[in-house]
Amino acid sequence: MAITVVGSVAYDSIETPAGRKDRCLGGAATYFSLAASFFTDVRVIAVVGEDFGPDQEAVFHARGIDTRGIERAPGKSFFWEGSYLDNLNEAKTHATELNVFASFEPKIPEAYRDSDFLFLANIDPVLQRRVREQMPGVRLVAGDTMNYWIKDHRAALLEVLKGLDILLINDTEARMLADNNNLVQASRAVLALGPRTLVVKHGEYGATAFFSNRSFSPEGEYAEHMFRAPALPLEEVVDPTGAGDSFAGGFFGYLASSAAADDLNPAAFRRAMFYGSVMGSFAVERFGTERLQQLSRKQIDERFILFRELTHLD
Ligand code: AMP
């Protein structure tokens, strides 16, 4: 089951207690596709500027990711600058320059049309919606967003939420979206906006899935319930950038992988939550996409076992 993803492909300048990196390859769609590529075929839709070169594109190709949907436009690529000096769990944004994304008209390559899974990674909700509308036949749609869009692009975001099966956001964003500080109440309010399942990421504390009674069947034969996956306690977090997108890539990539896609049941979702946590835990070990670029499937499976041991009772 192939995944098509739309979202930012960017240059990031990042400062963390471990140091600083300027203009490294980043973007929500970049982290998502690298993480998901360990599980299934991934196809990207994005736009980049003249500053995006063969070295950046090679990062995608080394993982077998289809980049035919990455358009090149005159101008500069999306640029984001952020730091984590006070709190490793939450980025402080210093600059967001949409650049070529400001006038992007997403087009879906013919070769992407048979994708069963669609991921609307973090980007302008207007673009997320345009891609969603052009892929009406997909089996499962998940998406992400962030405070930047929740605050100032709310109406467009609410339209996107109506068409989502699964929304993945962090806890600050869930509270902001619902305007409610209690996470359980906030999750119920967010589920009422459209998504059948909500996955709330808690940075170094793991992630919680809130399943509505529509999560696994439109008839609502499963009761609403919650499931929490841990994060791995790490000696050093070098750079939290992309942890959320890597979580999403592991989570959705696992769901799309053939073993899970036949049977999207609660057990498959629980395993997907663990694979999400595994991929997030790798992403933060080095700056930018470095760790995901060097990873092997064997290391992923070994860490999955470690996660199991971390929480297994008997
Ligand atoms: P996260 O997984 O939440 O740490 O996402 C980090 C990535 O999101 C960075 O590589 C940024 O390039 C990208 N990003 C930051 N702000 C935005 C935005 N407003 N829209 C889309 N992508 C963004």
Side-chain angles (χ1 to χ4, degrees):
M1 299 266 171
I3 301 178
T4 286
V5 51
V6 61
S8 54
V9 169
Y11 283 106
D12 292 343
S13 289
I14 306 158
E15 194 171 7
T16 81
R20 189 182 164 89
K21 269 264 160 77
D22 280 307
R23 291 188 63 77
C24 50
L25 175 66
T30 307
Y31 284 102
F32 175 91
S33 3
L34 289 173
S37 70
F38 289 93
F39 301 89
T40 194
D41 291 341
V42 183
R43 301 146 172 189
V44 190
I45 296 169
V47 61
V48 292
E50 291 146 328
D51 49 2
F52 190 86
D55 290 356
Q56 285 73 38
E57 190 142 10
V59 172
F60 291 86
H61 290 165
R63 290 282 335 131
I65 298 163
D66 197 329
T67 58
R68 282 176 286 181
I70 300 187
E71 198 179 303
R72 278 153 202 286
K76 281 174 17 183
S77 299
F78 187 109
F79 173 73
W80 178 77
E81 183 173 359
S83 67
Y84 303 83
L85 298 178
D86 304 328
N87 180 359
L88 274 173
N89 274 324
E90 208 162 306
K92 191 165 176 195
T93 293
H94 303 290
T96 303
E97 294 171 14
L98 302 181
N99 296 327
V100 288
F101 263 102
S103 53
F104 182 42
E105 296 282 346
K107 289 168 222 63
I108 321 281
E110 209 41 51
Y112 287 20
R113 295 226 172 245
D114 62 354
S115 307
D116 280 299
F117 282 57
L118 175 64
F119 192 75
L120 308 175
N122 190 14
I123 197 59
D124 187 335
V126 169
L127 298 178
Q128 292 180 316
R129 188 166 168 214
R130 277 193 207 144
V131 171
R132 173 72 186 97
E133 281 169 356
Q134 289 181 69
M135 299 198 68
V138 288
R139 183 168 163 199
L140 204 68
V141 189
D144 190 358
T145 191
M146 72 181 291
N147 51 10
Y148 184 87
W149 306 111
I150 297 172
K151 250 192 267 156
D152 301 325
H153 299 254
R154 197 179 179 87
L157 181 62
L158 291 179
E159 285 305 311
V160 172
L161 296 184
K162 287 182 196 162
L164 284 190
D165 296 304
I166 309 167
L167 175 67
L168 296 100
I169 45 181
N170 71 31
D171 34 27
T172 315
E173 291 154 0
R175 292 182 168 102
M176 185 188 276
L177 185 56
D179 195 18
N180 188 324
N181 268 331
N182 177 284
L183 196 60
V184 176
Q185 291 173 20
S187 74
R188 198 160 288 136
V190 172
L191 288 169
L193 297 173
R196 298 191 281 146
T197 303
L198 171 68
V199 176
V200 179
K201 298 164 284 180
H202 313 294
E204 65 176 312
Y205 306 113
T208 310
F210 294 91
F211 298 107
S212 72
N213 61 3
R214 298 169 293 129
S215 282
F216 305 103
S217 72
E219 293 78 33
E221 57 193 71
Y222 290 90
E224 54 172 61
H225 63 284
M226 298 180 247
F227 177 74
R228 177 164 286 185
L232 188 69
L234 293 168
E235 290 240 5
E236 192 188 17
V237 172
V238 173
D239 173 16
T241 311
D245 306 312
S246 305
F247 178 101
F251 172 86
F252 211 48
Y254 175 76
L255 281 184
S257 68
S258 52
D262 292 337
D263 188 14
L264 287 175
N265 55 32
F269 269 73
R270 286 198 292 269
R271 280 195 300 275
M273 290 287 287
F274 270 62
Y275 276 110
S277 289
V278 165
M279 298 313 288
S281 77
F282 280 120
V284 303
E285 288 182 349
R286 305 256 196 293
F287 265 103
T289 56
E290 210 181 309
R291 187 67 184 97
L292 296 183
Q293 286 174 239
Q294 293 162 353
L295 203 55
S296 70
R297 182 61 204 243
K298 184 166 169 282
Q299 290 173 316
I300 293 170
D301 292 335
E302 283 167 3
R303 191 161 285 188
F304 184 82
I305 293 169
L306 198 63
F307 266 82
R308 276 199 132 131
E309 286 166 359
L310 189 69
T311 49
H312 204 72
L313 270 181
D314 40 67

